[in-house]
Structure formats: structure tokens, C-alpha cells
Amino acid sequence: MFRTALRNVLAHKARLLMTVLAVMLGVAFVSGTLVFTDTLSQAFRNQSAKSYDDVAVAVEMHPNPEDARQAPGLSQKDVDEVAGLDGVASVAPRVGGFAGVPDKNGKLIGVGWSNKGTNFAPGKDGKDRAYDFASGTGPVRADQIALDRTSADKGGYKVGDTVRVATNGPVKEYVLSGVFTTEDGAVNAGGSLVLFETSVAQKLYLKPGYFQELTVTAAAGTQADKLLDQVVKVVPKEATAQTGQALADRQAEDIEAGLGALNQTLLGFAGIALFVGVFLISNTFTMLVAQRTKELALMRAVGASRKQITRSVLAEAGLVGLVASTVGLALGVGLAVALRSAMNAFDLKIPAGGLVIGPAPVVSAFAVGVLITMLAAWLPGRRAAKIPPVAAMNSVHATASTKSLVVRNSIGSVFTALGVVLIVLGAGKGGDTGRMLIAGGAFATLIGVIVLIPMLSRPVIALIRPLFVGLFGISGKLAGLNAVRNPRRTGATASALAIGLTLVTGLSVLGATVGAAIDKMTVDQIKADYMVVMASGDSLGEEAIAALAKAPGVTAVSPQQAGALEIKGSFVSASGVTPGDIEKVLNLHVVNGSLASLKQGQIAIADKTAEKRGLKVGDTVPVEYMDKAKDKLTVGAIYEESEFVSPVMIDRKLINAHEQQPYTREVYVAMDGGASDANAKALSKAMGDNPGITVMNHKDIRDAFGGPINMLLNIVYGLLGMALIIAVLGVVNTLAMSVFERQQEIGMLRAIGLDRRRVKRMVRLEAVVISVFGAVVGIGLGAFLGWALGETFKNSLPGYALVLPWERIGVFLVLAGLVGVLASLWPARSAARLNMLAAIKAE
């Protein structure tokens, strides 16, 4: 039986090649993902270990936002005490934050979050062990900086040049004292690293005389654990101390956790490819078994059992899966190399290191490839073994019994009904619970629709067929009839496209709906002409806010400063705003009282928060600030809850007095003449043309809020591309089998006058009908899921209303038609080239 299986594989190389391609795609993504993430993980682990190779102990201490009375960091006294411990060779105290450097065109080098600044911390020998200087020296004066070599090369800077450095305030100019090399993760991520003189860095990022962290190098013969015990005794109890090895291990774990999202995304691609490929594999083996009906019957007649027939088909599948897994693994390794090169091309540099091919990718590749192929081939093999030998040898094709169809449709109906109920319940429930119900319902519904899709093919194609008949005449009519001749095969072929389009349509509907709600929300609530933010997401400095207020043409400026107040025993988020200006930059609907009361030191509370705490206008409320200071504030206004301010608003001058480091996420600015290029330039100029600060108009704001949605859609469109590739292979297989089975019929049609051009058209239209059928099913189910998911966001999105992206849906249908046309090229050509006399004589 094994020799028979091997012979059958070799006898159907072209047909099985398509199955190999389908399995290979999924295996390549699984193995490539694992190799890529293993390579990245090992590279970053090595880098982390190298970065802390000389570090015996590391100490960290950051400001506590809940206790403003606590020291903001490690003092110089703490540093000196650690340096005086026995066994300490050197101590390097650090303080840092955002610092960006522009290139010659004034654009920021890097991507904001990866632009870092810290202090130069030389030892007794005048050198900083963390950096190797390629030229020049570290900064020792307040007007000097040093720059990493990659950024210096990008910006065209050399020692002695004047460099503009952006922090969270106006740009300042420094003299470049040196260029260094580093293994810092920010630089390896494509960002930049600026070294300041220590007192300058402290003033920029924390407070004069304080540091955020320090690293301790041990003297020869001193154990890190023992040194750690000594360090813990002299640093503040709020500080965190650990060995350099522990810190390196923690960073490596953080890196792996960060790579988890990328890993899951790529494995999602693989899962979709394999799930869709199951239908293609099953279809392929169904066709191969149908072609060999007499052969299998003869084997049964000479003594082969049903189990042997099934095992023969499974052995074929195993061989195909083995070949596909081998090729897929090789392709996966190539994919990992390509992904690594792509990251380097986008300046997301990966630390040096070889490609890591561990046992997990290899085992996963063969386990997934072989098992998926054999699983998909099991049902066709079982079905072949059940055909009675006499019936098969007499060319009596075993059709599905009424009982089997009833059982199949009943199972499909139960799954579909259960899924629809869960989806509707989830839409009504909302929130995370609702979304979990919808996810379960979507899976059940998708399984149910796949089981029912052969039954759905007749009515759906019946709706499409008149269009083809009207446009293409007899070729269109024959194509429609041929498409429903074998509903199971048509359904299995269409399923591949339906799965991909269900996912894509659902998220497209959700994206369009949420995008429209965000557009409406920003237009309705933001009256300001501009929103000013840091490119890094950090806090804007007070100097920048003051500079904006003095810019020509500015009529109102109000920051959205993050804070918190304890009211009636629990903390509530508070926005520090500018009284008198906040009304001019945001369209807040006041329910009771007046926002003018903010000028008198009163507070405004959102309606839902006020209701929850039983507050009304005129009430005097005991509050506690973050520094534990207590006060009594009067409620001067109640406003409708808004996405753009916290549940409590207060004059920023009041809250600033109790904040060590005010955190301002964004600043809203209104200007004479509204948004214009001239006004945008005026704001940028007022802040010294700081490349690290972004001035956003209304369109930019909408794009920023909708950015994550667009990114998700782009990923999903990638999934659509993969589903389309596999769908093409499936349609090619189906049409090739259809042409093979209908040789006599095609010969007769040719004999009575259907020319080669019309034969080609008939096969092409059949492919288009099958593809459009799959697209219609997928789009319908996807739109339903998109509506349900949108309902779960309804309460958190003011102005929510369902939006169907008809343009994109139209594109999806056109793509489905193109899939059919492309897939039909070879089968249509084969059908047209059949010799009519030989075809008529064929069995």
C-alpha cells in the first residue's frame, strides 16, 4: 500500500503541487516566525548581557506620583555613600529622558520614543565605561553634548559642530564635543542618544542634585550578591536594587514580552493560511480519489480492506505534507532572514548575532505540515473506502445520501444558530465580556456556514446566474449550471475566500464605523485649531507652554495636564486647564453652573462622576492632592463627560503647587484666522522649530486617533492577500477536476458548434461564479460581525453609528472576480485545447 501511495503521488505531481504550495505557505509562516523571534530574542539577550557585563549592582529610584513629599530620586549623598562601600570600584549615576536631534533638513532622527538623552558620567580616569568614543571626548561643560555615531553620520555632524537638540521645551544649541559607539537599545531601535553634562541633564529631566539610577562596578574578587546586601542598606527604602545579572535577565524577559505581539501577529497569518489550506487539501484529495474510483474498487476486489484504502490515501497525504514541510521550513528560514533585513532597512537595527534555528521551529514545521495535510485528507480517504467495489467498477458514482445531507445540514444549522445567538448576546452585553461572546459566536458561525455552504451555493448562485446569462449568453448559462453541479466541491472551494473576506469585511466595517465616530467626535468637541504634543509621547515642558502662549496670533491656550484628586475616599483623574481658555479650545457641554468658576479656584466635575459621588453645583468637597496636602474645593460646574478631559477639571495653577513634575500630554491652541500654514509655522517658530514637538491640525488629530485602526486593517489586508493566493490554488484545482470530468460533455459542445473562445469563456465564468459566491458569503458574514463588534464600543464612542464601507466592499467583490479570472487561465486553456473526437470517446 505504501508503494501504491508513492506511485499515486508521482502520478499526480501537478495537482499535488498546489496542495504543497498551500501547506508550504502556512508552514513557512510558522517556522519563519519562530526562527525570527528566536533570533531577535537571542540577539537582544546577548546585547543586554553585554550592556551589563561590568555591572555588579544596579539601583533605580523614580518620583512617586502618589507621594510628592518623597525625594524625586537618588541624591548625590546616596551616590557618595554607595561609592564609599568596600568592594566598589566605580559608580555611574544616570538621569535621562527624551532628547532628539534633527538632520540637515530639520527632521527628527529616529521615531520619537527611541530618542533618548542622558548624562555623561566619567570615572576617576575621565572615561565613562558605557561609551567608547570614536572621536572627541564626553561633555564637561554646560554648552556641550556628545552624540552616538549612527546619529552623527545621519545628521552629517562632526566634533566642533553646533547641534540643535530638542527636549520637551524650546530647542537649544550645543557644541558637539565627541562621537561615541554604544550598544544602547534606543540606538539599535533606530533612535539617537545624546549625552549632556550631568547638571544639565538633571535640570532637564529631574531636579538638580538627583539621579534616576546608578550602576555599580565591583572591585576584583568582590561578589555581586554580597555587594548588593551592602548597597541596599545605604540607599533609600523606596529605591530598587538588584544585581546586574538580574537586571539583564529582566530586560531579556521584557524584550521577549515585547516580541510577543509580533509573534502572535505572524502566527495569526500562519493560522489563517493553514485553516484556509485545509479546504484546498481536502478538495484536492477528493478529486484524486474521484479520478481513481475504478482503481480503488479493483484494489478492494483483490483483497484490500477499507482501512488499507484509507491508510493509502493518508500515506499520500503524509508524503505530500513531508515535502511541503521540508520546503516550508527552508522558506521560513528565508522569511526570517528577509524580515531581519527589512527591519534593518527601516533603521530598526538588530544587534549582531547569527540566525537561531532551534528545535521548536523544526518540530513545529513538520508536525503542523504533516498533521494538517493528513487531517484534511482523512475524510476523502474514508469516503473512498466506503464506495462499494461493484458500483465503482460499473462507473456508478456514489452520490451523497439523503441521510448524510440531512445530518450535515442539521449540524451546520445548529452551529450557525448557536453562533448567531452568541453574537447577538455579545452585541447587547458590550464591553470585554461582549467581545468574548462575539469571538466564540464568530467561530461557531464560521464553522456552521462552512458546513452549510454547499446547500447555500444553489440559491446564492441562482441569484448571480441571470447577470451572467444576460451578459455572456450560453457561456454564462453553462457556467452557472456547472458551478452548482457538485455543491460540495463548489462550497469547499468558495470557503477559502469566504473565510478571508469574513475577517477582512468585519474589521473594515468596524474600522469605518469607529473612524466615522472619531471624526465626528473630534469635529464636535475640539474647537482649537491645533493640538501640540511631544513626538515621543512625553510631557511638554513649562517653557514650551509659555512659548505657545506668547506666539503671534494665539487667542487661547489650554494644556491638558494630567493629575489626580482624592474625593470622598478614592482618587479621580483630574485635568489641569487654563480657566477662560478651556471653553475656547474645547466644546464642553455644561449641564449646570459655569466653567468661569474655575477662575475662582472652584472645580468642574463630569456628570457621571458627580452622579456617582452624589455631588452638585455649590457643594464644598474635601480633597487631597498627590502630595497629601488637604483642601476644600467648591463644585462650580457640571459638564457632560468628554473623551478629551478627565472627570474633574481644575485650574492648573492650583494643581501645579502640589506636583513635583507636571505631566502635560497635550496643549490645545486657538489662533486668529484658524488653521493655516502661516499659523502652524508661527507656533513651531515660537518653540524654536523643535523637531521633537508636533503641531497637529484637525486632520492630523483624526489620523492620530484612527492610526491604530488603520494599522490593524493593513495587517488584515495582508491576511486577505494570503487567503486570495490559496483561493486561487483552490479554484484552479476545482476547475481542472471539472474539466477532467466533463471531457465528453465539452467534446459534445464543441461538436455542436461551441467554439474554443466560448469554451474558455464558460470555464472562466464558472471560476468567477464560484469566487463571487465565496465573496458574497464572506462579505455578508463579515458585515454582521462588524456590526456586532461595533455595538460593544457604542457606549464609549459619542456619535456612534454603523457605517458600511461600500467602496471597499466593491473592491473586495472585484478582487474575488479577478481571483476567478486568474485561476481559470490554465483550466480554460486545457478545456479549449481538448480534441473533440477523443473527448467524446473518453469514459
Side-chain angles (χ1 to χ4, degrees):
M1 296 304 292
F2 179 79
R3 287 198 300 271
T4 302
L6 181 60
R7 187 205 67 191
N8 287 325
V9 168
L10 296 175
H12 300 94
K13 293 185 287 291
R15 188 70 47 75
L16 290 172
L17 177 62
M18 298 176 193
T19 301
V20 169
L21 288 173
V23 179
M24 182 185 70
L25 283 172
V27 170
F29 268 97
V30 170
S31 57
T33 296
L34 295 175
V35 170
F36 179 62
T37 51
D38 284 350
T39 299
L40 257 65
S41 177
Q42 187 61 46
F44 282 116
R45 273 184 177 274
N46 291 342
Q47 181 198 53
S48 182
K50 185 177 179 181
S51 298
Y52 293 99
D53 189 39
D54 293 335
V55 176
V57 177
V59 184
E60 294 181 0
M61 182 175 172
H62 299 279
N64 183 0
E66 296 183 4
D67 188 359
R69 295 172 298 180
Q70 179 187 302
L74 297 161
S75 67
Q76 186 61 52
K77 180 183 176 184
D78 298 326
V79 175
D80 293 339
E81 287 185 355
V82 172
L85 294 173
D86 291 337
V88 173
S90 64
V91 175
R94 305 283 181 194
V95 60
F98 169 76
V101 175
D103 59 21
K104 293 299 184 182
N105 297 320
K107 293 184 178 179
L108 191 68
I109 296 172
V111 289
W113 60 269
S114 61
N115 298 117
K116 304 296 183 183
T118 188
N119 61 297
F120 177 63
K124 295 178 181 178
D125 58 359
K127 296 180 179 179
D128 191 325
R129 299 172 66 92
Y131 311 106
D132 295 321
F133 278 83
S135 60
T137 61
V140 293
R141 300 199 312 263
D143 64 340
Q144 292 181 329
I145 62 159
L147 192 60
D148 70 275
R149 185 164 63 184
T150 302
S151 300
D153 291 342
K154 288 179 181 179
Y157 298 115
K158 59 183 183 296
V159 174
D161 286 352
T162 298
V163 182
R164 300 173 68 247
V165 180
T167 53
N168 60 354
V171 172
K172 294 181 180 179
E173 293 186 345
Y174 299 86
V175 175
L176 185 62
S177 66
V179 176
F180 58 88
T181 58
T182 177
E183 291 295 326
D184 188 275
V187 176
N188 279 310
S192 61
L193 181 63
V194 179
L195 298 183
F196 297 92
E197 188 271 331
T198 295
S199 64
V200 174
Q202 289 176 325
K203 184 178 178 182
L204 281 172
Y205 299 125
L206 195 58
K207 189 176 181 180
Y210 287 93
F211 300 93
Q212 294 162 335
E213 60 186 49
L214 59 88
T215 55
V216 182
T217 303
T222 303
Q223 294 183 357
D225 290 338
K226 291 183 178 180
L227 188 56
L228 175 63
D229 293 337
Q230 295 183 65
V231 171
V232 169
K233 294 176 182 177
V234 298
V235 298
K237 65 179 186 301
E238 296 86 4
T240 302
Q242 57 190 319
T243 62
Q245 183 61 52
L247 184 59
D249 291 341
R250 192 189 75 183
Q251 285 201 353
E253 291 174 2
D254 292 342
I255 288 166
E256 287 187 6
L259 292 173
L262 176 63
N263 196 26
Q264 291 171 9
T265 300
L266 294 176
L267 287 176
F269 276 75
I272 292 293
L274 290 169
F275 188 52
V276 174
V278 165
F279 299 97
L280 172 57
I281 299 164
S282 181
N283 232 10
T284 300
F285 279 94
T286 299
M287 295 172 195
L288 294 176
V289 167
Q291 288 179 0
R292 290 160 38 211
T293 301
K294 284 190 175 182
E295 177 191 325
L296 294 174
L298 183 60
M299 292 175 66
R300 288 288 311 282
V302 297
S305 66
R306 286 186 175 184
K307 289 183 178 179
Q308 285 179 311
I309 296 295
T310 303
R311 285 200 293 267
S312 174
V313 176
L314 290 178
E316 289 181 53
L319 288 170
V320 171
L322 192 63
V323 172
S325 299
T326 303
V327 178
L329 176 60
L331 188 62
V333 173
L335 178 64
V337 173
L339 285 172
R340 181 170 180 166
S341 299
M343 290 185 74
N344 287 329
F346 284 98
D347 286 337
L348 301 174
K349 296 191 300 180
I350 300 172
L355 202 66
V356 178
I357 305 176
V362 178
V363 172
S364 299
F366 285 98
V368 168
V370 174
L371 289 177
I372 287 291
T373 310
M374 293 181 70
L375 179 65
W378 175 76
L379 191 59
R382 183 173 175 272
R383 195 181 298 132
K386 292 175 68 176
I387 300 175
V390 175
M393 285 191 286
N394 285 322
S395 298
V396 178
H397 294 287
T399 58
S401 65
T402 303
K403 180 181 177 182
S404 69
L405 290 174
V406 169
V407 170
R408 179 190 179 104
N409 293 337
S410 298
I411 292 173
S413 299
V414 169
F415 270 93
T416 304
L418 175 63
V420 169
V421 169
L422 287 175
I423 290 170
V424 172
L425 285 175
K429 184 76 173 176
D432 291 337
T433 303
R435 287 187 278 276
M436 292 294 291
L437 287 172
I438 290 172
F443 181 75
T445 304
L446 199 57
I447 296 297
V449 169
I450 289 169
V451 174
L452 288 174
I453 206 166
M455 183 183 73
L456 295 173
S457 64
R458 291 185 181 277
V460 174
I461 291 176
L463 292 174
I464 301 172
R465 193 165 58 211
L467 175 64
F468 288 88
V469 174
L471 292 174
F472 304 105
I474 189 66
S475 296
K477 183 176 182 179
L478 290 172
L481 292 172
N482 290 334
V484 294
R485 179 176 293 184
N486 191 327
R488 280 188 173 181
R489 187 187 302 156
T490 298
T493 306
S495 294
L497 201 56
I499 293 167
L501 280 174
T502 295
L503 178 63
V504 172
T505 304
L507 287 176
S508 293
V509 169
L510 179 64
T513 300
V514 173
I518 289 173
D519 283 352
K520 188 175 187 301
M521 184 171 66
T522 54
V523 170
D524 287 351
Q525 296 194 36
I526 298 181
K527 294 164 66 175
D529 300 308
Y530 296 101
M531 184 172 79
V532 181
V533 297
M534 291 291 298
S536 61
D538 292 332
S539 172
L540 278 157
E542 292 296 313
E543 291 182 54
I545 298 171
L548 286 171
K550 295 176 182 177
V554 170
T555 58
V557 172
S558 182
Q560 157 63 309
Q561 182 178 314
L565 296 172
E566 184 178 322
I567 300 176
K568 292 194 172 183
S570 61
F571 277 97
V572 184
S573 296
S575 290
V577 300
T578 303
D581 283 3
I582 188 65
E583 305 97 313
K584 297 175 183 177
V585 295
L586 292 180
N587 191 19
L588 299 171
H589 301 285
V590 178
V591 177
N592 198 4
S594 172
L595 294 180
S597 60
L598 293 172
K599 291 182 178 180
Q600 282 78 51
Q602 298 182 2
I603 58 173
I605 301 182
D607 50 0
K608 293 181 181 178
T609 303
E611 183 180 354
K612 184 177 180 180
R613 284 172 169 72
L615 298 174
K616 61 183 184 298
V617 172
D619 287 351
T620 298
V621 187
V623 300
E624 185 174 303
Y625 295 99
M626 298 301 290
D627 63 353
K628 306 299 182 182
K630 299 186 185 318
D631 198 358
K632 289 186 177 180
L633 300 175
T634 302
V635 178
I638 294 177
Y639 57 93
E640 286 185 12
E641 199 168 49
S642 170
E643 294 292 319
F644 297 96
V645 290
S646 300
V648 175
M649 282 194 295
I650 185 172
D651 187 341
R652 63 188 301 263
K653 292 179 182 177
L654 276 177
I655 206 165
N656 272 356
H658 305 278
E659 295 280 347
Q660 282 192 356
Q661 287 184 305
Y663 183 83
T664 303
R665 293 171 291 186
E666 59 264 337
V667 178
Y668 296 102
V669 182
M671 301 187 73
D672 282 329
S676 66
D677 290 342
N679 280 341
K681 288 179 181 178
L683 292 181
S684 294
K685 187 176 180 180
M687 293 179 291
D689 291 321
N690 189 330
I693 297 179
T694 304
V695 178
M696 306 168 69
N697 58 25
H698 273 264
K699 181 181 181 303
D700 297 329
I701 296 170
R702 289 197 298 270
D703 291 344
F705 279 101
I709 298 171
N710 294 331
M711 185 181 298
L712 179 62
L713 286 177
N714 289 334
I715 292 173
V716 173
Y717 291 149
L719 291 176
L720 173 62
M722 183 175 296
L724 288 178
I725 292 171
I726 297 176
V728 167
L729 299 176
V731 177
V732 170
N733 253 3
T734 296
L735 292 178
M737 185 61 189
S738 179
V739 169
F740 175 83
E741 290 177 347
R742 301 198 324 257
Q743 289 184 72
Q744 279 189 335
E745 176 188 316
I746 292 171
M748 291 295 296
L749 290 171
R750 289 288 314 282
I752 62 175
L754 194 69
D755 58 21
R756 288 184 174 182
R757 182 173 58 85
R758 289 181 179 176
V759 170
K760 283 185 179 180
R761 182 183 295 170
M762 175 186 71
V763 177
R764 287 172 185 162
L765 291 176
E766 183 180 346
V768 172
V769 167
I770 293 172
S771 299
V772 172
F773 163 57
V776 168
V777 172
I779 289 170
L781 183 56
F784 176 55
L785 289 175
W787 163 80
L789 282 171
E791 288 294 306
T792 64
F793 293 97
K794 191 172 184 178
N795 293 332
S796 59
L797 280 177
Y800 169 89
L802 180 67
V803 176
L804 293 176
W806 293 111
E807 300 85 358
R808 293 181 191 177
I809 290 174
V811 170
F812 298 157
L813 286 172
V814 171
L815 284 175
L818 287 175
V819 164
V821 172
L822 291 172
S824 68
L825 293 178
W826 174 57
R829 185 170 178 269
S830 299
R833 295 180 64 185
L834 283 174
N835 182 293
M836 69 178 72
L837 294 179
I840 291 171
K841 288 175 16 179
E843 292 188 3

